[in-house]
Amino acid sequence: TSSETMRLFYALWPDNPTRTTLMQLQAPLHGRMIPYENLHLTLAFLGEQPVSRLPALKEILLRLNAAPGELVLDRVSYFTRNRIVWAGASETPPFVLTLYRELSEALMNQGVAFNEQHAFKPHITLARDASSPPDLAFAPIRWRAHKVALVRSENAPQGSRYEVLASRSLDEKWVLKD
Ligand code: 2AM
């Protein structure tokens, strides 16, 4: 029905080798590990959105002009507030900020609220309900990030279930995948 809503977000979507390497960082952690297929970097969290908005949200993906780039994931850290252990880059590369800005502007132009006024803190959640991680020494993970996805999140008994509704490689112009 037209009143139906979906919980949505945009994310940089890692390739499988990057996921595998991220999984290795989870080994010494305590908490609820994020499953392999769910690992991602959120760009914009939209929350519940009317299904009727989906075409416009896919169009935003298609129109992104940002270039792809490399993220060097070299730190594992902790958000005390929500008890999340995450992996991230000590230096946020400019392409990620450009991408975020472009997405923000497009969403504002469509009148879509996102991120609930929270500052953009690029991170990949590794574990939830977690305790502070041990000091880990690991080889930095070089992730060539080029895939941006529009993702649906559904709450399931075992945790969130994600479905990629559309994705776009920043390497290719004008190609959208389901
Ligand atoms: P998290 O991993 O730090 O919890 C799907 O829920 C994704 O959207 C998760 O990556 C989650 O971040 C993020 N998310 C959920 N609520 C959010 C909010 N209010 N602002 C920004 N990101 C949010």
Side-chain angles (χ1 to χ4, degrees):
T1 68
S2 57
S3 62
E4 208 187 316
T5 66
M6 286 182 182
R7 189 179 156 90
L8 300 175
F9 63 97
Y10 289 98
L12 274 169
W13 208 243
D15 54 81
N16 289 344
T18 301
R19 287 176 194 281
T20 301
T21 317
L22 285 166
M23 292 275 288
Q24 291 162 5
L25 295 181
Q26 292 177 327
L29 305 181
H30 296 279
R32 232 167 8 100
M33 298 311 137
I34 304 299
Y36 173 90
E37 67 275 12
N38 281 13
L39 293 164
H40 67 277
L41 189 154
T42 299
L43 292 165
F45 178 76
L46 312 187
E48 294 291 337
Q49 295 290 331
V51 169
S52 59
R53 206 165 239 172
L54 278 177
L57 296 175
K58 290 180 182 178
E59 183 78 14
I60 285 175
L61 263 189
L62 195 63
R63 287 176 182 274
L64 292 172
N65 272 313
E70 186 179 69
L71 266 155
V72 181
L73 305 171
D74 60 355
R75 62 185 291 222
V76 169
S77 194
Y78 187 60
F79 288 151
T80 313
R81 190 179 44 81
N82 47 12
R83 298 178 44 83
I84 278 174
V85 177
W86 52 274
S90 334
E91 303 251 7
T92 301
F95 86 93
V96 174
L97 298 175
T98 303
L99 180 58
Y100 173 72
R101 197 170 338 106
E102 206 184 346
L103 201 48
S104 308
E105 277 171 20
L107 288 168
M108 287 188 282
N109 286 340
Q110 292 283 336
V112 180
F114 63 98
N115 287 359
E116 296 164 356
Q117 299 350 328
H118 293 21
F120 177 49
K121 288 187 202 153
H123 66 277
I124 299 172
T125 300
L126 297 174
R128 298 189 186 280
D129 306 324
S131 44
S132 173
D135 248 326
L136 299 174
F138 63 96
I141 301 168
R142 309 183 82 88
W143 170 27
R144 189 168 179 287
H146 67 95
K147 187 173 174 180
V148 187
L150 175 63
V151 188
R152 177 182 191 186
S153 164
E154 288 177 286
N155 290 322
Q158 322 86 303
S160 296
R161 217 186 67 80
Y162 293 155
E163 182 190 357
V164 174
L165 300 179
S167 71
R168 158 81 194 285
S169 169
L170 298 174
D171 287 321
E172 299 167 8
K173 297 294 171 198
W174 325 119
V175 184
L176 199 61
K177 296 201 169 109
D178 286 330

